[in-house]
Protein backbone atom coordinates (compact mmCIF):
# COMPACT_ATOMS: atom_id res chain seq x y z
CA UNK A 1 0.00 0.00 0.00
CA UNK A 2 1.25 3.44 -0.77
CA UNK A 3 -0.42 5.81 1.66
CA UNK A 4 1.04 6.16 5.16
CA UNK A 5 0.11 9.67 6.24
CA UNK A 6 -3.22 9.43 8.07
CA UNK A 7 -4.01 5.93 6.83
CA UNK A 8 -5.36 3.71 9.60
CA UNK A 9 -3.72 0.47 8.40
CA UNK A 10 -0.51 1.85 6.99
CA UNK A 11 2.51 -0.05 5.77
CA UNK A 12 4.96 1.38 8.30
CA UNK A 13 7.99 -0.80 8.95
CA UNK A 14 7.98 -3.20 11.87
CA UNK A 15 5.97 -6.05 13.21
CA UNK A 16 2.57 -4.31 13.02
CA UNK A 17 2.12 -4.56 9.27
CA UNK A 18 3.90 -7.87 8.56
CA UNK A 19 1.04 -10.19 9.64
CA UNK A 20 -1.37 -8.31 7.37
CA UNK A 21 0.85 -8.75 4.31
CA UNK A 22 1.36 -12.43 5.14
CA UNK A 23 -2.41 -12.86 5.34
CA UNK A 24 -2.94 -10.92 2.10
CA UNK A 25 -0.54 -13.27 0.33
CA UNK A 26 -2.25 -16.38 1.66
CA UNK A 27 -5.72 -15.06 0.81
CA UNK A 28 -5.20 -13.32 -2.50
CA UNK A 29 -2.07 -14.62 -4.24
CA UNK A 30 -3.91 -17.54 -5.90
CA UNK A 31 -6.46 -15.12 -7.36
CA UNK A 32 -3.77 -12.69 -8.50
CA UNK A 33 -1.70 -15.45 -10.10
CA UNK A 34 -4.75 -16.88 -11.84
CA UNK A 35 -5.41 -13.54 -13.50
CA UNK A 36 -1.77 -13.05 -14.44
CA UNK A 37 -1.66 -16.47 -16.05
CA UNK A 38 -4.81 -15.62 -17.99
CA UNK A 39 -3.10 -12.48 -19.30
CA UNK A 40 -0.36 -14.69 -20.75
CA UNK A 41 2.65 -13.53 -18.80
CA UNK A 42 5.78 -15.39 -19.86
CA UNK A 43 9.50 -15.21 -20.59
CA UNK A 44 10.81 -11.79 -21.56
CA UNK A 45 7.89 -9.76 -20.18
CA UNK A 46 8.59 -6.43 -18.50
CA UNK A 47 6.45 -6.02 -15.39
CA UNK A 48 5.87 -3.27 -12.85
CA UNK A 49 4.59 -4.36 -9.42
CA UNK A 50 3.21 -1.18 -7.86
CA UNK A 51 3.10 -0.56 -4.11
CA UNK A 52 4.41 -4.01 -3.26
CA UNK A 53 4.14 -4.84 0.44
CA UNK A 54 5.88 -8.22 0.32
CA UNK A 55 7.87 -10.40 -2.06
CA UNK A 56 5.30 -13.08 -2.93
CA UNK A 57 3.96 -11.54 -6.15
CA UNK A 58 7.37 -10.13 -7.11
CA UNK A 59 9.03 -13.53 -6.78
CA UNK A 60 6.26 -15.24 -8.76
CA UNK A 61 6.64 -12.69 -11.55
CA UNK A 62 10.41 -13.14 -11.60
CA UNK A 63 10.04 -16.88 -12.18
CA UNK A 64 7.56 -16.30 -14.98
CA UNK A 65 9.52 -13.67 -16.92
CA UNK A 66 12.85 -15.46 -16.48
CA UNK A 67 16.32 -14.05 -17.08
CA UNK A 68 15.27 -12.26 -20.28
CA UNK A 69 12.45 -10.39 -18.52
CA UNK A 70 12.31 -7.61 -15.97
CA UNK A 71 10.32 -6.98 -12.79
CA UNK A 72 10.31 -3.53 -11.26
CA UNK A 73 8.99 -3.60 -7.68
CA UNK A 74 8.20 -0.22 -6.16
CA UNK A 75 6.93 0.98 -2.79
CA UNK A 76 7.35 3.89 -0.42
CA UNK A 77 9.01 1.46 2.01
CA UNK A 78 11.23 -0.98 0.12
CA UNK A 79 12.76 -2.80 3.11
CA UNK A 80 10.39 -5.82 2.85
CA UNK A 81 11.25 -6.16 -0.84
CA UNK A 82 15.03 -6.29 -0.57
CA UNK A 83 15.23 -10.10 -0.24
CA UNK A 84 13.92 -10.31 -3.83
CA UNK A 85 16.28 -7.62 -5.21
CA UNK A 86 18.26 -9.70 -7.67
CA UNK A 87 17.94 -10.11 -11.45
CA UNK A 88 15.45 -9.95 -13.02
CA UNK A 89 14.01 -7.95 -10.10
CA UNK A 90 14.85 -4.31 -9.44
CA UNK A 91 13.54 -2.61 -6.29
CA UNK A 92 12.94 1.13 -6.30
CA UNK A 93 11.47 3.62 -3.83
CA UNK A 94 8.47 5.22 -5.53
CA UNK A 95 5.07 6.71 -4.62
CA UNK A 96 2.69 6.02 -7.48
CA UNK A 97 0.31 8.77 -6.31
CA UNK A 98 2.99 11.47 -6.23
CA UNK A 99 5.97 10.53 -8.40
CA UNK A 100 6.27 10.42 -12.18
CA UNK A 101 5.91 6.92 -13.63
CA UNK A 102 9.04 4.98 -14.62
CA UNK A 103 10.39 5.95 -18.02
CA UNK A 104 10.35 2.40 -19.38
CA UNK A 105 7.33 0.79 -21.04
CA UNK A 106 5.84 -2.34 -19.45
CA UNK A 107 3.96 -5.37 -20.75
CA UNK A 108 2.15 -5.73 -17.40
CA UNK A 109 1.43 -3.29 -14.60
CA UNK A 110 -0.15 -4.69 -11.45
CA UNK A 111 -1.34 -3.11 -8.21
CA UNK A 112 -3.16 -4.83 -5.35
CA UNK A 113 -4.77 -2.93 -2.47
CA UNK A 114 -3.01 0.29 -3.43
CA UNK A 115 -5.44 2.73 -5.02
CA UNK A 116 -8.15 2.70 -2.33
CA UNK A 117 -5.85 4.37 0.15
CA UNK A 118 -3.77 6.50 -2.20
CA UNK A 119 -4.19 10.24 -1.56
CA UNK A 120 -4.73 10.75 -5.31
CA UNK A 121 -6.02 7.48 -6.79
CA UNK A 122 -6.86 9.05 -10.15
CA UNK A 123 -3.29 10.25 -10.61
CA UNK A 124 -1.96 6.88 -9.48
CA UNK A 125 -4.14 4.99 -11.96
CA UNK A 126 -3.18 7.22 -14.88
CA UNK A 127 0.49 6.91 -13.93
CA UNK A 128 0.22 3.14 -14.21
CA UNK A 129 -1.57 3.36 -17.55
CA UNK A 130 1.01 5.77 -18.89
CA UNK A 131 3.75 3.26 -18.10
CA UNK A 132 2.14 0.55 -20.26
CA UNK A 133 3.38 -0.09 -23.76
CA UNK A 134 0.75 -0.19 -26.53
CA UNK A 135 -0.95 -3.56 -26.11
CA UNK A 136 0.26 -3.83 -22.51
CA UNK A 137 -1.97 -5.20 -19.78
CA UNK A 138 -3.15 -3.55 -16.57
CA UNK A 139 -4.36 -5.63 -13.60
CA UNK A 140 -5.75 -3.66 -10.66
CA UNK A 141 -7.16 -5.33 -7.56
CA UNK A 142 -9.00 -3.47 -4.80
CA UNK A 143 -11.19 -4.37 -1.86
CA UNK A 144 -14.81 -3.27 -1.74
CA UNK A 145 -15.93 -3.48 1.91
CA UNK A 146 -19.25 -1.80 1.13
CA UNK A 147 -20.25 -4.76 -1.05
CA UNK A 148 -20.26 -6.93 2.08
CA UNK A 149 -19.48 -4.92 5.24
CA UNK A 150 -19.88 -7.65 7.88
CA UNK A 151 -17.17 -9.61 9.60
CA UNK A 152 -19.72 -12.40 10.17
CA UNK A 153 -22.48 -12.49 7.54
CA UNK A 154 -24.02 -15.35 9.56
CA UNK A 155 -24.73 -13.30 12.70
CA UNK A 156 -26.23 -15.97 14.94
CA UNK A 157 -24.86 -15.10 18.38
CA UNK A 158 -23.17 -12.49 20.60
CA UNK A 159 -19.69 -13.39 19.35
CA UNK A 160 -20.71 -12.63 15.77
CA UNK A 161 -22.51 -9.45 16.84
CA UNK A 162 -19.34 -8.19 18.54
CA UNK A 163 -17.26 -9.03 15.45
CA UNK A 164 -19.63 -7.03 13.26
CA UNK A 165 -19.61 -4.13 15.71
CA UNK A 166 -15.82 -3.93 15.58
CA UNK A 167 -15.76 -4.28 11.78
CA UNK A 168 -18.20 -1.36 11.58
CA UNK A 169 -15.83 0.66 13.76
CA UNK A 170 -12.82 -0.11 11.58
CA UNK A 171 -14.77 0.90 8.48
CA UNK A 172 -15.82 4.16 10.14
CA UNK A 173 -12.20 5.00 10.89
CA UNK A 174 -11.11 4.13 7.34
CA UNK A 175 -13.81 6.32 5.82
CA UNK A 176 -12.92 9.17 8.18
CA UNK A 177 -9.36 9.03 6.86
CA UNK A 178 -10.46 9.22 3.25
CA UNK A 179 -10.62 5.56 2.19
CA UNK A 180 -13.26 4.82 -0.45
CA UNK A 181 -14.98 1.68 0.81
CA UNK A 182 -16.87 1.20 -2.47
CA UNK A 183 -13.91 1.66 -4.82
CA UNK A 184 -13.52 -1.88 -6.10
CA UNK A 185 -16.80 -1.92 -7.99
CA UNK A 186 -15.96 1.21 -10.02
CA UNK A 187 -12.73 -0.19 -11.47
CA UNK A 188 -14.28 -1.40 -14.77
CA UNK A 189 -15.81 2.03 -15.37
CA UNK A 190 -12.53 3.78 -14.55
CA UNK A 191 -10.53 1.58 -16.91
CA UNK A 192 -12.97 2.18 -19.76
CA UNK A 193 -12.98 5.94 -19.08
CA UNK A 194 -9.19 5.90 -19.28
CA UNK A 195 -9.40 4.52 -22.82
CA UNK A 196 -8.41 0.93 -22.10
CA UNK A 197 -9.88 -1.95 -24.10
CA UNK A 198 -11.07 -5.50 -23.35
CA UNK A 199 -12.08 -4.52 -19.81
CA UNK A 200 -13.14 -7.41 -17.55
CA UNK A 201 -13.53 -7.87 -13.81
CA UNK A 202 -14.50 -10.39 -11.17
CA UNK A 203 -14.52 -10.62 -7.37
CA UNK A 204 -13.17 -13.07 -4.81
CA UNK A 205 -14.88 -13.26 -1.41
CA UNK A 206 -13.23 -15.43 1.28
CA UNK A 207 -15.74 -16.38 3.98
CA UNK A 208 -13.72 -18.47 6.40
CA UNK A 209 -10.10 -19.65 6.54
CA UNK A 210 -7.08 -19.46 8.85
CA UNK A 211 -5.81 -16.58 6.71
CA UNK A 212 -9.10 -14.70 7.23
CA UNK A 213 -8.67 -15.13 10.98
CA UNK A 214 -5.04 -14.00 10.82
CA UNK A 215 -6.00 -10.90 8.85
CA UNK A 216 -8.80 -10.07 11.30
CA UNK A 217 -6.45 -10.36 14.26
CA UNK A 218 -3.76 -8.22 12.63
CA UNK A 219 -6.28 -5.58 11.54
CA UNK A 220 -7.95 -5.24 14.92
CA UNK A 221 -4.61 -5.17 16.73
CA UNK A 222 -3.33 -2.43 14.43
CA UNK A 223 -6.55 -0.39 14.78
CA UNK A 224 -6.98 -1.02 18.51
CA UNK A 225 -5.74 2.36 19.79
CA UNK A 226 -7.78 4.29 17.22
CA UNK A 227 -10.94 2.31 17.96
CA UNK A 228 -10.65 3.02 21.67
CA UNK A 229 -9.68 6.67 21.21
CA UNK A 230 -12.71 7.25 18.96
CA UNK A 231 -15.06 5.61 21.46
CA UNK A 232 -15.94 2.88 18.96
CA UNK A 233 -14.81 -0.01 21.17
CA UNK A 234 -13.50 -0.73 24.65
CA UNK A 235 -10.29 -2.62 25.33
CA UNK A 236 -12.32 -5.43 26.91
CA UNK A 237 -14.45 -5.75 23.76
CA UNK A 238 -11.35 -6.04 21.64
CA UNK A 239 -9.76 -8.63 23.92
CA UNK A 240 -12.95 -10.73 23.90
CA UNK A 241 -13.16 -10.55 20.11
CA UNK A 242 -9.53 -11.54 19.62
CA UNK A 243 -10.06 -14.47 21.97
CA UNK A 244 -13.10 -15.52 19.94
CA UNK A 245 -11.07 -15.41 16.74
CA UNK A 246 -8.21 -17.39 18.28
CA UNK A 247 -10.65 -20.05 19.51
CA UNK A 248 -12.42 -20.17 16.13
CA UNK A 249 -15.65 -19.17 17.87
CA UNK A 250 -16.15 -16.81 14.95
CA UNK A 251 -15.18 -17.13 11.29
CA UNK A 252 -14.40 -13.58 10.17
CA UNK A 253 -14.85 -12.99 6.45
CA UNK A 254 -12.83 -10.51 4.41
CA UNK A 255 -14.09 -7.82 2.09
CA UNK A 256 -14.52 -8.91 -1.54
CA UNK A 257 -11.41 -8.36 -3.65
CA UNK A 258 -12.36 -6.96 -7.07
CA UNK A 259 -9.88 -7.72 -9.85
CA UNK A 260 -10.15 -5.68 -13.06
CA UNK A 261 -7.95 -6.09 -16.11
CA UNK A 262 -7.70 -4.43 -19.51
CA UNK A 263 -5.41 -3.75 -22.48
CA UNK A 264 -3.89 -0.47 -23.57
CA UNK A 265 -4.65 0.28 -27.25
Amino acid sequence: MTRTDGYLLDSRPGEAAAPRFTAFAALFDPTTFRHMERLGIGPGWRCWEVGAGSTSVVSWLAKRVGPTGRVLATATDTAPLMPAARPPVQVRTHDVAADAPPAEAFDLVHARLVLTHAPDPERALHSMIKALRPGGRLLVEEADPALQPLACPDEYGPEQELANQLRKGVHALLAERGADLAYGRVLPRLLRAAGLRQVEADAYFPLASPACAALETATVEQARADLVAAGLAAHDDIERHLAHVAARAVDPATAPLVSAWARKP
Side-chain angles (χ1 to χ4, degrees):
M1 298 184 187
T2 59
R3 183 176 179 178
T4 58
D5 184 13
Y7 173 38
L8 178 69
L9 304 171
D10 62 40
S11 55
R12 59 185 177 273
E15 296 182 0
R20 286 175 51 78
F21 287 122
T22 300
F24 286 148
L27 283 167
F28 301 133
D29 277 1
T31 295
T32 296
F33 299 158
R34 173 171 60 86
H35 289 305
M36 288 180 171
E37 287 176 341
R38 182 176 180 179
L39 294 177
I41 182 172
W45 276 46
R46 295 158 295 173
C47 305
W48 178 18
E49 180 64 17
V50 181
S54 66
T55 61
S56 63
V57 175
V58 174
S59 297
W60 188 92
L61 286 170
K63 291 178 182 178
R64 281 305 181 109
V65 304
T68 61
R70 167 170 159 73
V71 178
L72 175 63
T74 63
T76 54
D77 171 30
T78 58
L81 304 177
M82 297 315 296
R86 56 185 178 274
V89 176
Q90 179 187 3
V91 173
R92 186 184 304 174
T93 301
H94 182 269
D95 186 341
V96 69
D99 300 333
E104 52 263 68
F106 295 95
D107 301 292
L108 171 72
V109 175
H110 172 247
R112 187 173 73 193
L113 301 173
V114 171
L115 294 179
T116 305
H117 304 288
D120 190 346
E122 182 178 2
R123 176 175 177 176
L125 180 60
H126 283 277
S127 179
M128 291 189 287
I129 293 171
K130 184 176 181 180
L132 284 169
R133 67 164 178 81
R137 304 285 182 164
L138 177 68
L139 173 61
V140 182
E141 300 179 295
E142 293 294 336
D144 195 316
L147 275 176
Q148 196 297 104
L150 301 177
C152 297
D154 182 18
E155 188 182 86
Y156 62 88
E159 295 89 351
Q160 290 72 33
E161 291 174 4
L162 176 59
N164 287 339
Q165 173 191 331
L166 291 177
R167 180 67 61 87
K168 183 178 179 180
V170 170
H171 287 172
L173 292 174
L174 287 168
E176 183 181 273
R177 286 157 172 77
D180 185 348
L181 302 183
Y183 190 76
R185 73 191 70 181
V186 306
L187 287 174
R189 170 165 56 85
L190 295 179
L191 298 190
R192 289 193 184 92
L196 299 184
R197 299 289 184 266
Q198 298 176 2
V199 176
E200 296 184 59
D202 65 14
Y204 171 59
F205 176 23
L207 275 171
S209 75
C212 287
L215 180 58
E216 176 72 3
T217 298
T219 298
V220 172
E221 286 282 15
Q222 201 164 342
R224 176 197 293 262
D226 296 274
L227 287 166
V228 173
L232 295 168
H235 280 297
D236 288 348
D237 293 331
I238 293 172
E239 287 300 327
R240 284 193 296 119
H241 174 61
L242 293 176
H244 294 159
V245 175
R248 299 305 297 268
V250 296
D251 285 312
T254 69
L257 181 77
V258 178
S259 301
W261 58 97
R263 182 181 62 83
K264 186 175 182 178

